[in-house]
Amino acid sequence: MEIVNTNRELLTYNMKKKFFLAVLVLAVSIVQAQRSTNSYNYKTALGVKVWDGAGVSLKHFFNSKNAGELIAYFPGHGFRLTGLYEIHGPISGAPGLKWYIGPGMHVGFYEGGHYHRGHRHHHDHDAVVGIDGVIGLDYKFRGAPINVSLDWQPSFEFADDHGFSGSWGGLGIRYTF
């Protein structure tokens, strides 16, 4: 009987620790969201990016001018993971609006046929790497934990029948925290 009580006490103690940790994480998240809501600035944002296909976007500021963005695109013919380093600057007279520019790279996994540079190419399966650039605008709404961006991401893929593409980028809509 003593072993059963000890196991119950241990289980109860572990559940209390997990509950306390969950409450703490929730409280910190709410405080961070409030800071983000009442300001034109934000630290991290998670959302979607749409244009030619759709993707999931995670953007994080390392300091007030430099950010990293990770985008998982899902075009109709595969998957592409892009990492960007973005340098931001304010636009005078437009609170919350910033310009950004920067380099990046990606890895893509494509299957079946797809259009590239106006011509149809057929590939059974392609895994490619490439370099990217980005130029765009970023806006954070004051009073709401919402950020929107619009950018262009020209890229070059190092693979046969690939090369330059100017069709990446898009409209990003993210929740800030």
Side-chain angles (χ1 to χ4, degrees):
M1 287 299 202
E2 186 65 34
I3 294 174
V4 172
N5 286 335
T6 304
N7 284 341
R8 281 188 189 156
E9 290 172 2
L10 186 59
L11 181 62
T12 302
Y13 175 74
N14 284 336
M15 288 177 66
K16 286 180 183 179
K17 280 183 13 183
K18 288 177 183 176
F19 178 76
F20 176 74
L21 183 61
V23 169
L24 182 64
V25 168
L26 180 62
V28 169
S29 296
I30 289 170
V31 169
Q32 289 289 59
Q34 287 299 319
R35 285 184 188 162
S36 177
T37 298
N38 295 322
S39 170
Y40 286 117
N41 298 316
Y42 63 96
K43 185 80 170 166
T44 305
L46 177 65
V48 297
K49 190 174 256 190
V50 294
W51 194 269
D52 185 17
V56 176
S57 169
L58 175 66
K59 187 171 191 172
H60 178 76
F61 277 86
F62 307 120
N63 57 44
S64 64
K65 295 183 183 202
N66 300 298
E69 184 176 4
L70 189 62
I71 310 158
Y73 284 111
F74 301 94
H77 60 278
F79 172 77
R80 177 173 161 155
L81 185 63
T82 303
L84 301 169
Y85 178 78
E86 301 169 351
I87 301 164
H88 289 69
I91 296 178
S92 297
L97 184 62
K98 297 179 181 182
W99 58 265
Y100 61 94
I101 191 168
M105 58 188 311
H106 70 270
V107 60
F109 303 94
Y110 309 120
E111 58 185 50
H114 66 274
Y115 287 93
H116 181 70
R117 289 187 277 183
H119 304 287
R120 181 155 174 78
H121 295 279
H122 183 78
H123 307 282
D124 289 331
H125 298 284
D126 274 347
V128 299
V129 295
I131 56 174
D132 298 76
V134 65
I135 185 168
L137 296 172
D138 186 273
Y139 183 73
K140 163 64 174 73
F141 290 92
R142 185 175 183 160
I146 303 296
N147 155 257
V148 295
S149 65
L150 182 63
D151 61 32
W152 178 51
Q153 288 175 242
S155 65
F156 185 88
E157 292 184 334
F158 300 98
D160 291 340
D161 295 327
H162 289 262
F164 177 79
S165 175
S167 65
W168 293 94
L171 173 66
I173 303 170
R174 303 178 196 90
Y175 176 79
T176 63
F177 50 96

